[in-house]
Structures are given as structure tokens and as C-alpha cells.
Amino acid sequence: RSIRVLSLFLSNPHESFTRYMVEKLTAVNRAGEILERLTSLGILRLADENPRAYRLNTDNILVKKLLRLLEQL
């Protein structure tokens, strides 16, 4: 489940998604827990409060490495 959510953000690094959108696009129920975990790890950041939207934290070193890896595939 976490991989599907992370893949959505890595495939769309400059887009923001609400929990509802993430659940619909990834077919993951209760994605809020995953979003909060990825946010606490610094992989995602809050893009907006109302409605609560998340976006990839492209300043995070791990995220930068994952994006570079995806570019090479």
C-alpha cells in the first residue's frame, strides 16, 4: 500500500494530492495513515491546509535519489 502511494507522488513530483485523491488514484483505503507517516519521515510535505493536500518534498535527499533512480530506468 505504501509503495502505491509513494509511486503516485514520485510519478507526479510537482502535483499536490488530497487524501481523497490519493485513495481514488491508488485504490488504497485509509491512505491518511500512510500520508502522515510519509510526512513525518520528510518524504512528503503539506502543500495546503484546507483542504489538506500533500506533495513530494523534493528537498529531501532520499526523494532526490529516488527521482534520479526513476529517471535512469
Side-chain angles (χ1 to χ4, degrees):
R1 295 177 345 147
S2 297
I3 297 296
R4 282 190 279 179
V5 172
L6 183 56
S7 293
L8 172 66
F9 285 95
L10 289 170
S11 299
N12 304 282
H14 303 292
E15 290 188 45
S16 300
F17 298 96
T18 63
R19 179 186 54 81
Y20 177 79
M21 291 170 60
V22 170
E23 290 175 347
K24 290 296 179 192
L25 293 170
T26 62
V28 171
N29 293 328
R30 302 181 71 200
E33 298 169 8
I34 297 168
L35 293 169
E36 291 302 321
R37 189 172 345 113
L38 292 174
T39 302
S40 71
L41 292 171
I43 295 170
L44 298 181
R45 63 180 175 83
L46 227 61
D48 201 353
E49 277 291 332
N50 193 14
R52 197 171 179 90
Y54 301 85
R55 116 181 290 161
L56 197 63
N57 181 2
T58 53
D59 293 330
N60 181 294
I61 193 158
L62 177 61
V63 171
K64 288 179 183 179
K65 289 181 180 188
L66 287 170
L67 288 171
R68 254 183 277 156
L69 175 66
L70 288 174
E71 286 174 4
Q72 295 173 0
L73 295 179

